[in-house]
Amino acid sequence: MRLAKEANINALFIQVRKTGDAYYKSAFEARATNIAGDPDFDPLAYIIRAAHAQGIQVHAWMNTFRIWGKTTPPADPNHIAVLHPDWITRTATGDTGAGEGLFLDPGVAEVRDYTFNVFMDVVRNYDIDGIHLDYVRYPGAEFGYAPPAVQHFNLEKGREGTPVNTDPEWMQWRRDQVTALVSKIYKDATALKPNIMVSVAAVPWGDCQNNFCDTLPFRKVYQDWRGWLAQGVIDACIPMNYRDESNPKSAKQYRNWLDGFNQWKYDRQIYTGLDFNRSPEMVVRQIEAARKRGIAGMVGFSFNQTPERTKLVQVLKQKIYSESADFPEMTWKLACIQRQSRDLYRRAIDAVTLENDLDKGLDLLTQAVEIDPKYIDAHFRLGRIYSKKELWADAVKEFDEVLLLSPSYLAARTERDAAAKRLDTGTAN
């Protein structure tokens, strides 16, 4: 945390679901076995408190369909891979052993429901700034043949038997199953917390193509991240553009993908993923190339404790992040944020004026300013409620917020001075 602050890094993506386990208090999955210390220790809650105290955002990084790092099942009888072996994706010949481990099959409706609940458990219960979906794809073009998935496909399409892997309808159906989960998470997460950022770790394998449908992410792992941006079902895409700058071919591919990002971002944002395990000088060159092309931001993998990290921080601070920067504004969220905050405001006014319930009004207005911190009228009404409850310090704080946003707001200045006077009198007494 100290080094992140020193390097003027404004957000941390913290891995809290790795292989069907939890680095937080989960209602669905077992606690990760490599968490040191007291069994009540909550790593995610800890990092949120520490990061927010430093003005750094926290995004919960969660592996989506990859739920085990080996081809043999886990020993824990309660692990999802053991409880539901039929949910594990496989090839047409029944092989579940993808090179990256075991994956749940996106084509199984119960898999999407279960994964959705796991993700929303974190959104509901933690003060995170974002939810980050990794491994949100198939492990390869030949996978997707979990028996329930094939049954769902045949039922939906009116077909029988086992589809051929290269069947265009079968290929598109698998893409659609991944998109269905991404869309559902986005819809519900942003309805619950309009300010939350939903992002995905995307693959930019091979070289960038003029037509996204010709790229490996689209053809090989059925990850249509361009479509997610176009449909507005994610806020940000973070392609893992990990290329070796010292290799001319790789360096060219890195820049080709940057150009593709600008072509396919639509009205959302794409941040290029960088390999922070390369030399700091290489990282700097790639950041400069991204900035030259107007890329909205960069996300480095990873910031783990290594001998090179201190040197990286020094170089970033000296050459790239000499001062802190605000997180890129998500302008497309403004209408939703205003709609929800205004509804809370109206309900708060009714609670106070019609029901004479100051506590209910206080709670609703607090929610309104949490959603929209620049909502002047909500801050002003909060100040008035605090004054009625004779909570003078809180009233002064809210009126100060109003005056910070609107210095000419005379009523706020008058009520602020009155509350401050009562506060001083109370302190003196």
Side-chain angles (χ1 to χ4, degrees), residues 2-3 26-27 46 78 87 91 112 121 143 152 178 180 185 195 198 230 259 278 281 312 322 324 332 355 391 403 408:
R2 177 182 59 81
L3 288 174
S26 172
Y46 173 83
N78 294 314
W87 289 4
T91 66
R112 298 194 302 275
D121 185 39
F143 285 87
H152 290 159
V178 181
I185 289 174
N195 284 309
V198 179
D259 294 334
R278 305 285 184 183
E281 293 74 21
L312 173 66
S322 58
S324 60
W332 56 91
E355 304 171 33
L391 299 172
L403 293 169
S408 61

Side-chain angles (χ1 to χ4, degrees), residues 167-273:
D167 180 336
E169 189 174 41
W170 172 234
M171 295 171 72
Q172 185 57 46
W173 187 85
R174 283 178 283 179
R175 285 187 204 99
D176 292 342
Q177 307 318 298
V178 181
T179 297
L181 177 62
V182 174
S183 300
K184 185 171 176 58
I185 289 174
Y186 185 81
K187 178 183 177 182
D188 285 57
T190 56
L192 183 64
K193 295 182 177 179
N195 284 309
I196 199 170
M197 186 179 92
V198 179
S199 64
V200 298
V203 292
W205 292 343
D207 206 349
C208 186
Q209 307 295 319
N210 291 329
N211 187 339
F212 187 81
C213 296
D214 294 330
T215 64
L216 290 181
F218 188 85
R219 292 190 296 107
K220 186 173 182 179
V221 290
Y222 311 122
Q223 186 185 68
D224 185 13
W225 53 259
R226 181 206 61 171
W228 303 341
L229 290 161
Q231 296 168 38
V233 297
I234 58 175
D235 295 309
C237 182
I238 305 172
M240 297 169 284
N241 200 8
Y242 307 153
R243 297 301 200 279
D244 183 355
E245 188 72 11
S246 65
N247 181 309
K249 179 181 178 181
S250 180
K252 187 175 187 301
Q253 288 181 347
Y254 172 79
R255 287 155 178 79
N256 289 344
W257 275 108
L258 293 180
D259 294 334
F261 301 162
N262 279 329
Q263 177 184 352
W264 298 320
K265 65 183 179 181
Y266 299 94
D267 64 346
R268 294 300 197 256
Q269 291 167 349
I270 297 185
Y271 312 133
T272 187

Side-chain angles (χ1 to χ4, degrees), residues 20-93:
D21 50 8
Y23 290 81
Y24 60 97
K25 293 187 176 181
S26 172
F28 297 93
E29 297 186 313
R31 179 181 173 87
T33 58
N34 62 342
I35 302 174
D38 192 289
D40 288 333
F41 174 62
D42 186 334
L44 178 55
Y46 173 83
I47 203 73
I48 289 171
R49 289 194 301 271
H52 285 179
Q54 297 292 333
I56 297 174
Q57 290 193 6
V58 173
H59 296 245
W61 161 20
M62 304 177 72
N63 287 346
T64 307
F65 294 117
R66 178 180 179 268
I67 45 86
W68 192 242
K70 304 172 184 176
T71 56
T72 54
D76 182 355
N78 294 314
H79 192 282
I80 193 63
V82 178
L83 290 174
H84 291 284
D86 55 320
W87 289 4
I88 303 299
T89 196
R90 62 202 67 197
T91 66
T93 59

